[in-house]
Amino acid sequence: MKGIFAEENWIHSEKTFSIESALSSDSGNYQCQTSASDRSDSTRLEVYDGFVTLQAPTNVYEGDDLILRCQHYPGYTAKQTIFYRNNAVIQDWGSEDELHIENVNMTSSCKYKCTKQVNHHLLNYQHSDETSVSVQALFSLPTITQSPQFVTEGDRLTLTCHTRLSPHRQYTVLQFAFYQEGQNIQEFSSAHTYEIPFAKLSDSRNYTCDVQTSNHRIKKTSTTTTIQVNKIGERELFNKSETEVTSKPGTSHVTTAVAVTSLVLVLFLIVIALIFLYWTKRIPLPGNNQPASKVFSQKPHKEAVKNLMAAPPMEISAPLNVIKQ
């Protein structure tokens, strides 16, 4: 659906919308949409009913020109106006009802106020209004990264200057410059990278980059990055140390496995020894001095055998508790 929206509600189908005799109830967030696009970012409308209103833009970014308007209620005559910043006068009494501040920066974020002489009922009265202005960063503080991370003599070294532009000002043109030990090595241009085709030991220096807008209003400098170019052959040492560090976890696993296996073997041997001792005590060997009831002679005495064979057969009497039929 195309048209104008107020607080997410569709209110008008044309591309232009006018409010006659605005009321405080008309305050809110407004958006527009065409048949071939998504809804726009919202803009805030504030309708005041006081005698004086200080108007300020909703979104203010570094490098913008800030215009503040001290408006009075329609139908009344106004005279001189005075402007304040954090309660300090920045534009004394004058006939201008606008305050222009060029090329604002983050320090411009503060509270502004205006006082105007308004004539009503044949008398002049002073009325005031104030508002807070927040200046947003146009782009972030730049940083430098290098590729590759480990640089050896003869490598191609690439430095990249990174920054993040506000999505609300994505069409702003930025320029980049590079410095080595504070000396410029690449002038401002649209290129955000700097290349050294064949790195040398003497390229081991401190590097910074600057980012600025095409109108030169905003410029920011990155933190210092130190580049180390190594001699040929040091890469092998570097790779070897990495390999050793990587192999340490595997080595520890092998050591742990060996220790566990050894422990199991020792426990197994202890169990075998205990079983051997148990059975050795349970079945005594010939010749041990054991009680007669538990020791059997392998060759019984001949006389004992004769007596056993000559003994009369044993009578087995019936149990006392047998019931006769």
Side-chain angles (χ1 to χ4, degrees), residues 198-210:
F198 301 98
K200 303 183 296 294
L201 294 178
S202 58
D203 292 320
S204 299
R205 299 291 183 87
N206 295 322
Y207 293 83
T208 57
C209 70
D210 283 348

Side-chain angles (χ1 to χ4, degrees), residues 272-286 288 290:
I272 294 299
L274 292 175
I275 293 174
F276 177 78
L277 292 176
Y278 173 80
W279 285 106
T280 299
K281 292 182 178 181
R282 187 176 180 86
I283 304 176
L285 296 176
N288 288 350
Q290 298 292 341

